[in-house]
Amino acid sequence: MKLLVTGGCGFIGTNFIRLMLAKHPDWSIVNLDKLTYAGNRLNLMDLEESEDRYEFVQGDICEREKVMEILSGKSIDAVVNFAAESHVDRSINDPSPFVITNVGGAQNLMECARQAKIERFVHVSTDEVYGTLGATGKFTESTPMAPNSPYSASKAGADMMARAYFETYGFPILVTRCSNNYGPYQFPEKLIPLLFLNAKADKQLPVYGDGMNVRDWIYVDDHCLGVELTLTKGREGQAYNFGGNAEEPNITVVKTLLSLLGKPESLITYVTDRPGHDKRYAMDYSLAAAELGFAPTLNFADGLKKTLDWYEANTTWLEQVQSGEYRTFMDTWYEERD
Ligand code: NAD
Ligand code: DAU
């Protein structure tokens, strides 16, 4: 199979490409990535240099001509769309790029793939489209969408477009909705790598609000497995939930990480809450379990240890992605809120 993966220089895309090329000797992958602040071509440079089945193309999913050129010119069979603006805090500062890429870009990709008669299209969405939960219950695929941030609203927009492409054109599209990923290559604006970086430098660890917001953590390889199963076995027109069975309040994540790194809890600093901050996410993935045979393979304790070990061994990577742009954004963000 020849696959077009978009956003493959980001966190999940990088892990997905590595895993799929290792697992499927008969697959080849073209990676289309715009290389925003979150995309790092060096993540996959070893493959670029040594693997015939991997090709990198720099470009934007919003560009019709470029996308058509790849889909038709490179005889693509299937598409997996990871490309997105992915950080909630950034979407609160400026929603526009989120609408442009996450809605407009996703629709452009669907339209080009429809015209090129692509056999299968997996659109990677998020649990955040469902909004927030109270103290009990889980999101199922039939939970109504109720997004609360500009990021999640843009992702919900693309999910609706995917539904419309299936209903209107019979376009062979499938959607995945996953909870919070963690693991290697995650950009250090997201909670876990940010905590690692700050703790190592004995800097304050910013905890939003009272730290009692709950996320369902999944190791990135398990999300990649869910995307792979959706691509190879899923029902067209269907959305599938994926989760890690690992609900934790943020403050527990912070304290566990400090203890694993041997750092004091005095580094914890409670800061002004994120506006519209979703209280709790939890995923019911029984549909994916029943239809695709999905089950997460790594528990949170082991996954977190593995992740911290990777960051310890790859401090050069962290330094590399910690560009001036990233630091400026974070410093301004905290200054404005506190
Ligand atoms: P990321 O921010 O690490 O990577 C996004 C990648 O997309 C980057 O390489 C970036 O350069 C690229 N990109 C952005 N705009 C583009 C455009 N217009 N054209 C081409 N490439 C573009 O994001 P991530 O955390 O790896 O998330 C990947 C996908 O998974 C996103 O769609 C996100 O909504 C979804 N998702 C993420 C999580 C999570 O916990 N990180 C959970 C569920 C779903
Ligand atoms: O649930 C899936 C989503 O998970 C994905 O769709 C998004 O792309 C991804 O960014 C992630 O969104 P979150 O907003 O949940 O992730 P983030 O790492 O930004 O925050 C995790 C939790 O930690 C959240 O409750 C906010 C809190 N937080 C975050 C940061 C960066 C803090 O308390 N302090 C921080 O400094």
Side-chain angles (χ1 to χ4, degrees):
M1 174 159 63
K2 189 148 189 191
L3 202 57
L4 171 64
V5 171
T6 67
C9 293
F11 163 45
I12 307 172
T14 293
N15 285 285
F16 181 78
I17 289 173
R18 287 195 175 285
L19 283 169
M20 292 310 111
L21 286 177
K23 202 165 166 183
H24 299 280
D26 55 336
W27 286 17
S28 55
I29 294 180
V30 177
N31 171 14
L32 172 67
D33 197 300
K34 183 179 173 182
L35 298 181
T36 67
Y37 76 94
N40 185 1
R41 186 172 175 179
L42 291 176
N43 288 358
L44 295 167
M45 194 48 84
D46 55 323
L47 292 179
E48 244 185 271
E49 285 169 353
S50 66
E51 177 55 81
D52 291 345
R53 296 178 297 131
Y54 174 72
E55 186 185 348
F56 171 73
V57 179
Q58 183 169 6
D60 191 325
I61 59 166
C62 301
E63 290 173 60
R64 181 159 297 209
E65 246 176 60
K66 181 124 202 165
V67 174
M68 279 313 289
E69 198 182 290
I70 296 170
L71 291 175
S72 303
K74 297 186 186 293
S75 309
I76 299 293
D77 302 306
V79 176
V80 178
N81 180 30
F82 288 105
E85 289 294 337
S86 68
H87 194 43
V88 174
D89 294 337
R90 284 179 190 260
S91 81
I92 295 167
N93 263 20
D94 181 7
S96 304
F98 288 75
V99 176
I100 292 167
T101 286
N102 299 2
V103 186
Q107 185 273 331
N108 182 52
L109 203 57
M110 289 175 208
E111 181 56 28
C112 292
R114 184 175 80 85
Q115 285 178 23
K117 302 197 180 347
I118 293 303
E119 288 163 23
R120 214 131 157 100
F121 188 120
V122 176
H123 175 71
V124 179
S125 184
T126 168
D127 60 354
E128 298 204 9
V129 298
Y130 297 123
T132 189
L133 289 164
T136 58
K138 292 187 176 196
F139 295 129
T140 71
E141 289 80 358
S142 47
T143 302
M145 285 195 217
N148 291 317
S149 72
Y151 162 71
S152 50
S154 69
K155 294 297 288 185
D159 283 27
M160 288 300 193
M161 195 58 77
R163 178 192 156 89
Y165 265 68
F166 176 72
E167 295 293 337
T168 308
Y169 308 114
F171 180 63
I173 192 162
L174 304 94
V175 173
T176 63
R177 297 189 185 129
C178 189
S179 58
N180 284 66
N181 288 218
Y182 64 102
Y185 299 104
Q186 188 167 31
F187 195 83
E189 63 189 352
K190 306 295 191 320
L191 184 68
I192 289 178
L194 176 77
L195 295 176
F196 174 86
L197 212 57
N198 283 14
K200 290 302 276 186
D202 294 314
K203 289 172 74 174
Q204 297 297 302
L205 271 42
V207 174
Y208 297 171
D210 62 3
M212 291 311 290
N213 299 67
V214 172
R215 295 293 181 266
D216 173 5
W217 295 95
I218 182 170
Y219 191 72
V220 62
D221 289 3
D222 283 331
H223 180 194
C224 293
L225 172 68
V227 173
E228 178 194 10
L229 289 168
T230 304
L231 176 66
T232 54
K233 293 188 180 170
R235 254 185 307 128
E236 289 173 6
Q238 186 60 51
Y240 293 98
N241 282 356
F242 297 99
N245 253 343
E247 281 185 58
E248 298 287 354
N250 292 337
I251 193 64
T252 308
V253 175
V254 179
K255 287 182 177 172
T256 310
L257 185 136
L258 283 171
S259 134
L260 285 169
L261 294 177
K263 295 287 182 176
E265 290 189 6
S266 56
L267 288 178
I268 295 172
T269 311
Y270 290 93
V271 298
T272 311
D273 208 354
R274 173 187 277 176
H277 195 177
D278 288 333
K279 191 68 188 171
R280 178 174 159 260
Y281 304 147
M283 293 305 264
D284 177 342
Y285 57 81
S286 52
L287 184 71
E291 289 194 9
L292 311 177
F294 170 80
T297 61
L298 207 58
N299 65 46
F300 187 58
D302 292 343
L304 188 59
K305 177 138 192 346
K306 195 169 164 177
T307 301
L308 298 183
D309 287 348
W310 188 88
Y311 284 111
E312 291 277 10
N314 289 275
T315 46
T316 326
W317 181 87
L318 270 174
E319 283 159 19
Q320 202 181 60
V321 297
Q322 255 198 306
S323 67
E325 192 270 347
Y326 155 64
R327 270 291 155 207
T328 308
F329 168 76
M330 292 311 284
D331 292 347
T332 315
W333 173 246
Y334 292 127
E335 260 165 39
E336 279 172 4
R337 292 180 343 147
D338 298 323

